Amino acid sequence: EAQVTQNPRYLITVTGKKLTVTCSQNMNHEYMSWYRQDPGLGLRQIYYSMNVEVTDKGDVPEGYKVSRKEKRNFPLILESPSPNQTSLYFCASSPAGGGTEAFFGQGTRLTVV
Amino acid sequence: TQLLEQSPQFLSIQEGENLTVYCNSSSVFSSLQWYRQEPGEGPVLLVTVVTGGEVKKLKRLTFQFGDARKDSSLHITAAQPGDTGLYLCMTTDSWGKLQFGAGTQVVVTP
């Protein structure tokens, strides 16, 4: 079954404690990206990757890091989380070339206290 | 950068009423997708439209793609409470970068 798997689904952490949210896809997609979704602000892109070892900043990259060492995995790293990073996060993957469906993970609800 | 303007932002209707959501851009789309998102879940694809003037139906949902491929609409006939959700239009550029409309929150009350 084609899917994007995010973990964990829910996470409560304290300010400054490094965390990683994992994202894995089984469709051999080139393009992967991370979004945060906040009330009234829609889906905002954090980082994206067009292929292995190719990553770039999205619209709201501050406070986040990513890596793309393998095609299937695209982890989101918060080195020193702060309360303003409390949000609902989504990972997505899609084939390169545009005009195609994107697949989304189930989401990660992060609370930073 | 292709900007997707989605309207309205919020729709609250009674069960049985009809509704329409719009997605517009000043640029031509190669294709456009409509997604529905339930609270706390990831967006789920409803339809992809590709050809100008195309009309697709999914039960009580009708999707139209403008002749010039710059706009699209989603029409729900006789809405039901199960249609409640956030509706998002989305397109991808030639690199595969996803671009979203701001979303339309639809609430259908019994």
PDB file of all heavy atoms in Angstrom, chain A residues 87-109:
ATOM      1  N   SER A  87       2.494  22.989  17.104  1.00  0.00           N
ATOM      2  CA  SER A  87       1.747  23.013  15.851  1.00  0.00           C
ATOM      3  C   SER A  87       1.418  21.589  15.424  1.00  0.00           C
ATOM      4  O   SER A  87       1.814  20.614  16.066  1.00  0.00           O
ATOM      5  CB  SER A  87       2.589  23.692  14.755  1.00  0.00           C
ATOM      6  OG  SER A  87       1.827  23.893  13.579  1.00  0.00           O
ATOM      7  N   LEU A  88       0.686  21.497  14.326  1.00  0.00           N
ATOM      8  CA  LEU A  88       0.406  20.230  13.670  1.00  0.00           C
ATOM      9  C   LEU A  88       1.307  20.148  12.433  1.00  0.00           C
ATOM     10  O   LEU A  88       1.267  21.047  11.592  1.00  0.00           O
ATOM     11  CB  LEU A  88      -1.068  20.146  13.280  1.00  0.00           C
ATOM     12  CG  LEU A  88      -1.551  18.885  12.572  1.00  0.00           C
ATOM     13  CD1 LEU A  88      -1.315  17.650  13.443  1.00  0.00           C
ATOM     14  CD2 LEU A  88      -3.032  19.020  12.231  1.00  0.00           C
ATOM     15  N   TYR A  89       2.099  19.094  12.342  1.00  0.00           N
ATOM     16  CA  TYR A  89       3.085  18.961  11.279  1.00  0.00           C
ATOM     17  C   TYR A  89       2.705  17.837  10.322  1.00  0.00           C
ATOM     18  O   TYR A  89       2.234  16.776  10.743  1.00  0.00           O
ATOM     19  CB  TYR A  89       4.467  18.661  11.878  1.00  0.00           C
ATOM     20  CG  TYR A  89       5.050  19.826  12.638  1.00  0.00           C
ATOM     21  CD1 TYR A  89       4.739  20.033  13.980  1.00  0.00           C
ATOM     22  CD2 TYR A  89       5.886  20.733  12.007  1.00  0.00           C
ATOM     23  CE1 TYR A  89       5.265  21.112  14.671  1.00  0.00           C
ATOM     24  CE2 TYR A  89       6.422  21.810  12.692  1.00  0.00           C
ATOM     25  CZ  TYR A  89       6.097  21.999  14.028  1.00  0.00           C
ATOM     26  OH  TYR A  89       6.610  23.078  14.701  1.00  0.00           O
ATOM     27  N   PHE A  90       2.943  18.103   9.034  1.00  0.00           N
ATOM     28  CA  PHE A  90       2.687  17.103   8.007  1.00  0.00           C
ATOM     29  C   PHE A  90       3.891  16.955   7.103  1.00  0.00           C
ATOM     30  O   PHE A  90       4.521  17.938   6.724  1.00  0.00           O
ATOM     31  CB  PHE A  90       1.479  17.490   7.147  1.00  0.00           C
ATOM     32  CG  PHE A  90       0.175  17.403   7.859  1.00  0.00           C
ATOM     33  CD1 PHE A  90      -0.432  18.544   8.338  1.00  0.00           C
ATOM     34  CD2 PHE A  90      -0.433  16.179   8.059  1.00  0.00           C
ATOM     35  CE1 PHE A  90      -1.631  18.478   9.010  1.00  0.00           C
ATOM     36  CE2 PHE A  90      -1.632  16.106   8.730  1.00  0.00           C
ATOM     37  CZ  PHE A  90      -2.236  17.253   9.215  1.00  0.00           C
ATOM     38  N   CYS A  91       4.135  15.706   6.745  1.00  0.00           N
ATOM     39  CA  CYS A  91       5.115  15.376   5.736  1.00  0.00           C
ATOM     40  C   CYS A  91       4.354  14.981   4.476  1.00  0.00           C
ATOM     41  O   CYS A  91       3.265  14.392   4.560  1.00  0.00           O
ATOM     42  CB  CYS A  91       5.971  14.207   6.233  1.00  0.00           C
ATOM     43  SG  CYS A  91       7.169  13.592   5.065  1.00  0.00           S
ATOM     44  N   ALA A  92       4.896  15.305   3.315  1.00  0.00           N
ATOM     45  CA  ALA A  92       4.262  14.923   2.054  1.00  0.00           C
ATOM     46  C   ALA A  92       5.314  14.447   1.078  1.00  0.00           C
ATOM     47  O   ALA A  92       6.476  14.858   1.144  1.00  0.00           O
ATOM     48  CB  ALA A  92       3.495  16.105   1.461  1.00  0.00           C
ATOM     49  N   SER A  93       4.898  13.584   0.165  1.00  0.00           N
ATOM     50  CA  SER A  93       5.806  13.161  -0.901  1.00  0.00           C
ATOM     51  C   SER A  93       5.053  13.145  -2.216  1.00  0.00           C
ATOM     52  O   SER A  93       3.828  12.958  -2.249  1.00  0.00           O
ATOM     53  CB  SER A  93       6.407  11.784  -0.612  1.00  0.00           C
ATOM     54  OG  SER A  93       5.494  10.743  -0.885  1.00  0.00           O
ATOM     55  N   SER A  94       5.780  13.361  -3.294  1.00  0.00           N
ATOM     56  CA  SER A  94       5.186  13.335  -4.628  1.00  0.00           C
ATOM     57  C   SER A  94       6.288  13.078  -5.640  1.00  0.00           C
ATOM     58  O   SER A  94       7.460  13.330  -5.378  1.00  0.00           O
ATOM     59  CB  SER A  94       4.475  14.651  -4.934  1.00  0.00           C
ATOM     60  OG  SER A  94       5.354  15.744  -4.813  1.00  0.00           O
ATOM     61  N   PRO A  95       5.907  12.588  -6.828  1.00  0.00           N
ATOM     62  CA  PRO A  95       6.922  12.377  -7.863  1.00  0.00           C
ATOM     63  C   PRO A  95       7.427  13.718  -8.371  1.00  0.00           C
ATOM     64  O   PRO A  95       6.719  14.720  -8.309  1.00  0.00           O
ATOM     65  CB  PRO A  95       6.159  11.629  -8.966  1.00  0.00           C
ATOM     66  CG  PRO A  95       4.888  11.188  -8.341  1.00  0.00           C
ATOM     67  CD  PRO A  95       4.583  12.135  -7.238  1.00  0.00           C
ATOM     68  N   ALA A  96       8.615  13.750  -8.893  1.00  0.00           N
ATOM     69  CA  ALA A  96       9.131  14.959  -9.520  1.00  0.00           C
ATOM     70  C   ALA A  96       8.380  15.200 -10.829  1.00  0.00           C
ATOM     71  O   ALA A  96       7.737  14.295 -11.362  1.00  0.00           O
ATOM     72  CB  ALA A  96      10.622  14.811  -9.785  1.00  0.00           C
ATOM     73  N   GLY A  97       8.435  16.430 -11.306  1.00  0.00           N
ATOM     74  CA  GLY A  97       7.851  16.727 -12.599  1.00  0.00           C
ATOM     75  C   GLY A  97       6.539  17.472 -12.531  1.00  0.00           C
ATOM     76  O   GLY A  97       6.050  17.978 -13.515  1.00  0.00           O
ATOM     77  N   GLY A  98       5.937  17.565 -11.370  1.00  0.00           N
ATOM     78  CA  GLY A  98       4.735  18.352 -11.231  1.00  0.00           C
ATOM     79  C   GLY A  98       3.480  17.702 -11.788  1.00  0.00           C
ATOM     80  O   GLY A  98       3.538  16.684 -12.466  1.00  0.00           O
ATOM     81  N   GLY A  99       2.342  18.311 -11.462  1.00  0.00           N
ATOM     82  CA  GLY A  99       1.071  17.861 -12.008  1.00  0.00           C
ATOM     83  C   GLY A  99       0.590  16.531 -11.493  1.00  0.00           C
ATOM     84  O   GLY A  99      -0.210  15.862 -12.146  1.00  0.00           O
ATOM     85  N   THR A 100       1.076  16.146 -10.333  1.00  0.00           N
ATOM     86  CA  THR A 100       0.730  14.821  -9.815  1.00  0.00           C
ATOM     87  C   THR A 100       0.258  14.920  -8.372  1.00  0.00           C
ATOM     88  O   THR A 100       0.491  15.900  -7.682  1.00  0.00           O
ATOM     89  CB  THR A 100       1.932  13.871  -9.873  1.00  0.00           C
ATOM     90  OG1 THR A 100       3.030  14.480  -9.188  1.00  0.00           O
ATOM     91  CG2 THR A 100       2.329  13.575 -11.300  1.00  0.00           C
ATOM     92  N   GLU A 101      -0.379  13.857  -7.949  1.00  0.00           N
ATOM     93  CA  GLU A 101      -0.915  13.790  -6.595  1.00  0.00           C
ATOM     94  C   GLU A 101       0.199  13.773  -5.568  1.00  0.00           C
ATOM     95  O   GLU A 101       1.249  13.156  -5.773  1.00  0.00           O
ATOM     96  CB  GLU A 101      -1.746  12.520  -6.457  1.00  0.00           C
ATOM     97  CG  GLU A 101      -2.259  12.268  -5.046  1.00  0.00           C
ATOM     98  CD  GLU A 101      -2.923  10.909  -4.908  1.00  0.00           C
ATOM     99  OE1 GLU A 101      -2.998  10.183  -5.920  1.00  0.00           O
ATOM    100  OE2 GLU A 101      -3.336  10.571  -3.789  1.00  0.00           O
ATOM    101  N   ALA A 102      -0.042  14.428  -4.441  1.00  0.00           N
ATOM    102  CA  ALA A 102       0.842  14.345  -3.295  1.00  0.00           C
ATOM    103  C   ALA A 102       0.212  13.441  -2.246  1.00  0.00           C
ATOM    104  O   ALA A 102      -1.007  13.392  -2.100  1.00  0.00           O
ATOM    105  CB  ALA A 102       1.080  15.732  -2.705  1.00  0.00           C
ATOM    106  N   PHE A 103       1.054  12.731  -1.540  1.00  0.00           N
ATOM    107  CA  PHE A 103       0.598  11.866  -0.460  1.00  0.00           C
ATOM    108  C   PHE A 103       1.080  12.470   0.851  1.00  0.00           C
ATOM    109  O   PHE A 103       2.237  12.889   0.959  1.00  0.00           O
ATOM    110  CB  PHE A 103       1.169  10.454  -0.630  1.00  0.00           C
ATOM    111  CG  PHE A 103       0.605   9.711  -1.799  1.00  0.00           C
ATOM    112  CD1 PHE A 103       1.055   9.972  -3.083  1.00  0.00           C
ATOM    113  CD2 PHE A 103      -0.381   8.755  -1.621  1.00  0.00           C
ATOM    114  CE1 PHE A 103       0.535   9.293  -4.177  1.00  0.00           C
ATOM    115  CE2 PHE A 103      -0.893   8.061  -2.707  1.00  0.00           C
ATOM    116  CZ  PHE A 103      -0.440   8.333  -3.984  1.00  0.00           C
ATOM    117  N   PHE A 104       0.181  12.456   1.838  1.00  0.00           N
ATOM    118  CA  PHE A 104       0.493  13.076   3.109  1.00  0.00           C
ATOM    119  C   PHE A 104       0.579  12.045   4.220  1.00  0.00           C
ATOM    120  O   PHE A 104      -0.141  11.042   4.213  1.00  0.00           O
ATOM    121  CB  PHE A 104      -0.596  14.093   3.477  1.00  0.00           C
ATOM    122  CG  PHE A 104      -0.580  15.313   2.613  1.00  0.00           C
ATOM    123  CD1 PHE A 104      -1.232  15.329   1.395  1.00  0.00           C
ATOM    124  CD2 PHE A 104       0.116  16.454   3.014  1.00  0.00           C
ATOM    125  CE1 PHE A 104      -1.206  16.447   0.586  1.00  0.00           C
ATOM    126  CE2 PHE A 104       0.143  17.571   2.203  1.00  0.00           C
ATOM    127  CZ  PHE A 104      -0.523  17.570   0.989  1.00  0.00           C
ATOM    128  N   GLY A 105       1.442  12.340   5.172  1.00  0.00           N
ATOM    129  CA  GLY A 105       1.468  11.554   6.386  1.00  0.00           C
ATOM    130  C   GLY A 105       0.263  11.860   7.255  1.00  0.00           C
ATOM    131  O   GLY A 105      -0.527  12.758   6.962  1.00  0.00           O
ATOM    132  N   GLN A 106       0.149  11.130   8.367  1.00  0.00           N
ATOM    133  CA  GLN A 106      -1.026  11.252   9.230  1.00  0.00           C
ATOM    134  C   GLN A 106      -0.964  12.488  10.108  1.00  0.00           C
ATOM    135  O   GLN A 106      -1.964  12.868  10.733  1.00  0.00           O
ATOM    136  CB  GLN A 106      -1.164  10.007  10.126  1.00  0.00           C
ATOM    137  CG  GLN A 106      -1.048   8.702   9.386  1.00  0.00           C
ATOM    138  CD  GLN A 106       0.380   8.157   9.452  1.00  0.00           C
ATOM    139  OE1 GLN A 106       1.343   8.867   9.134  1.00  0.00           O
ATOM    140  NE2 GLN A 106       0.531   6.927   9.872  1.00  0.00           N
ATOM    141  N   GLY A 107       0.183  13.101  10.175  1.00  0.00           N
ATOM    142  CA  GLY A 107       0.328  14.301  10.985  1.00  0.00           C
ATOM    143  C   GLY A 107       0.972  14.010  12.334  1.00  0.00           C
ATOM    144  O   GLY A 107       0.832  12.914  12.889  1.00  0.00           O
ATOM    145  N   THR A 108       1.667  15.004  12.855  1.00  0.00           N
ATOM    146  CA  THR A 108       2.261  14.936  14.194  1.00  0.00           C
ATOM    147  C   THR A 108       1.833  16.166  14.961  1.00  0.00           C
ATOM    148  O   THR A 108       2.118  17.291  14.554  1.00  0.00           O
ATOM    149  CB  THR A 108       3.798  14.886  14.112  1.00  0.00           C
ATOM    150  OG1 THR A 108       4.205  13.692  13.452  1.00  0.00           O
ATOM    151  CG2 THR A 108       4.421  14.939  15.510  1.00  0.00           C
ATOM    152  N   ARG A 109       1.128  15.933  16.055  1.00  0.00           N
ATOM    153  CA  ARG A 109       0.700  17.050  16.918  1.00  0.00           C
ATOM    154  C   ARG A 109       1.785  17.269  17.957  1.00  0.00           C
ATOM    155  O   ARG A 109       1.968  16.446  18.843  1.00  0.00           O
ATOM    156  CB  ARG A 109      -0.626  16.698  17.573  1.00  0.00           C
ATOM    157  CG  ARG A 109      -1.076  17.694  18.619  1.00  0.00           C
ATOM    158  CD  ARG A 109      -1.588  18.983  18.033  1.00  0.00           C
ATOM    159  NE  ARG A 109      -2.827  18.824  17.302  1.00  0.00           N
ATOM    160  CZ  ARG A 109      -3.436  19.799  16.652  1.00  0.00           C
ATOM    161  NH1 ARG A 109      -2.896  20.996  16.626  1.00  0.00           N
ATOM    162  NH2 ARG A 109      -4.553  19.582  16.019  1.00  0.00           N
TER     163      ARG A 109
END
